[in-house]
Structure formats: C-alpha cells, structure tokens
C-alpha cells in the first residue's frame, strides 16, 4: 500500500459520517417533539422555531478527532515497540501495516453508515462499537508479536507496554471528550 493515510482517513470520515447521521436523526426527532410541545402550550409566540439540524462542521470536527485518535494508536504502538527494544520496525512500516489492517475495517464501518441511513441505529451502534474496539486493541495485538530485546521477560514487557499505550490512549480520549464537552457548553452561551 503506497498511501496508508487513505484508509486511515476514510475510516475516520466514515465513522464521523455515521455518528453525524445518527446524531442529526436524533436531533431532528427531539426538535420536532420540542416544536410540538411549544406549539401546544404557546399561543403567545408562534414564531418561535427550533433548529432542525446539526452544523456540517461537526462532521468534519468529528472526523479530525477520530483521525487524531487513530494516529494516537499508531504512535503509542510505535512507542511500545521502541520500549521493547525493537529497532527494526520503522514508523513508516508500522503506519503502512496499520493502514492495511484498517482497510479491512472499512467494510463494517460502511455497513454501519448504511444501517443508520435505513434506520437500523442499534445495528450501527453495534458495528461502531466493534470498530472502535478493534482500533483500540491494535496496540496490544501488534505489541504481542513485537520482538523483545530487553532483559525483562517478554510477557512482562508486553504487559507493561500495552498498559502504557492503553493509559496514553485513554488520556487522549479523555482530552478529546472534555474538549468536545467544553466546546458544546461554550456554544450554548
């Protein structure tokens, strides 16, 4: 594969599109309910309207955040391989390897997008959960087959590097969640 960023970026875009479609469907349903309640109880101001869509910029923000998460996984995997002392694996080779693995993940992600578009949200959530778990387990799976060149036992090194990668990825996810929540709260005022 010559351009490993393509499947990585496509995965991020498809996951963001699926999430955006789900959220906009839920938002439309909620705003229709709100408009119905307002029209039922409000005879004074009938010109009040509720926005019926989520801005398209949210789609691109979500895609960028997903891309950041995927590259955090790649960087943590690379750091774990380096901690184990394996200098034979270059970043570009690992980038290509994970890009190839994420190419196979495009099929269930596209199935999730189609499921949302036809109204099968529960199935789409299941597929997205499987996809996210696959992405988050990549460091542990790749580190399990990495060469250990340290004096510490291979199993202990795998556990240590997987733990470090997991903690770093969890911190990045928390930063992304807190940043998104802060942005959402900030947009209310």
């Amino acid at each position: 594969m010559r351009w490993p960023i393509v499947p990585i970026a496509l995965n991020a875009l498809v996951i963001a599109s699926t999430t955006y479609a789900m959220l906009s469907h839920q938002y439309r349903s909620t705003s229709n309910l709100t408009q119905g309640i307002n029209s039922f109880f409000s005879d004074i101001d009938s010109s009040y309207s509720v926005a019926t869509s989520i801005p398209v910029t949210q789609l691109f923000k979500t895609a960028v955040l997903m891309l950041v998460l995927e590259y955090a996984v790649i960087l943590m995997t690379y750091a774990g391989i380096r901690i184990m002392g394996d200098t034979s694996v270059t970043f570009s080779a690992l980038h290509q390897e994970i890009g190839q693995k994420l190419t196979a993940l495009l099929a269930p992600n596209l199935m999730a997008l189609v499921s949302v578009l036809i109204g099968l949200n529960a199935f789409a959530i299941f597929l997205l959960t499987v996809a996210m778990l696959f992405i988050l387990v990549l460091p542990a799976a790749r580190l399990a087959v990495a060469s250990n060149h340290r004096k510490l036992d291979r199993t202990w090194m795998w556990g240590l590097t997987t733990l470090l990668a997991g903690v770093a990825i969890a911190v990045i996810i928390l930063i992304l969640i807190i940043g998104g929540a802060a942005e959402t709260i900030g947009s209310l005022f």
Side-chain angles (χ1 to χ4, degrees):
M1 176 178 294
R2 188 174 173 105
W3 299 92
I5 192 169
V6 172
I8 294 169
L10 280 176
N11 266 309
L13 186 60
V14 170
I15 290 172
S17 299
T18 305
T19 307
Y20 179 79
M22 265 193 288
L23 290 176
S24 83
H25 175 71
Q26 291 301 108
Y27 189 76
R28 249 189 323 274
S29 299
T30 304
S31 66
N32 287 342
L33 176 66
T34 305
Q35 283 179 343
I37 291 171
N38 283 340
S39 67
F40 182 74
F41 288 113
S42 170
D43 291 331
I44 299 170
D45 187 14
S46 61
S47 65
Y48 177 75
S49 66
V50 177
T52 58
S53 67
I54 296 174
V56 179
T57 56
Q58 286 302 115
L59 170 70
F60 296 111
K61 288 178 186 176
T62 307
V64 168
L65 291 177
M66 192 61 210
L67 194 61
V68 166
L69 178 64
E70 289 174 343
Y71 272 97
V73 166
I74 294 171
L75 285 172
M76 291 305 109
T77 306
Y78 184 69
I81 290 171
R82 288 297 179 171
I83 289 171
M84 291 181 82
D86 189 1
T87 57
S88 65
V89 178
T90 63
F91 180 79
S92 62
L94 181 68
H95 188 240
Q96 182 173 354
E97 180 183 335
I98 291 179
Q100 289 169 346
K101 285 178 176 44
L102 290 180
T103 301
L105 194 60
L106 272 172
N109 286 340
L110 287 172
M111 284 176 46
L113 180 59
V114 170
S115 297
V116 165
L117 295 177
I118 63 175
L120 299 172
N121 287 347
F123 184 62
I125 290 171
F126 170 74
L127 288 174
L128 281 180
T129 303
V130 169
M132 290 305 296
L133 286 174
F134 180 83
I135 290 171
L136 294 176
V137 169
L138 272 175
R142 180 56 179 92
L143 290 172
V145 295
S147 300
N148 182 22
H149 297 284
R150 304 287 182 199
K151 291 181 182 177
L152 194 59
D153 182 49
R154 176 174 170 61
T155 306
W156 284 103
M157 283 302 293
W158 174 80
L160 176 68
T161 55
T162 300
L163 180 67
L164 290 174
V167 167
I169 291 169
V171 167
I172 290 169
I173 289 173
L174 284 174
I175 289 170
L176 294 176
I177 289 172
I178 291 170
E183 179 183 337
T184 303
I185 291 170
S187 69
L188 295 175
F189 300 106

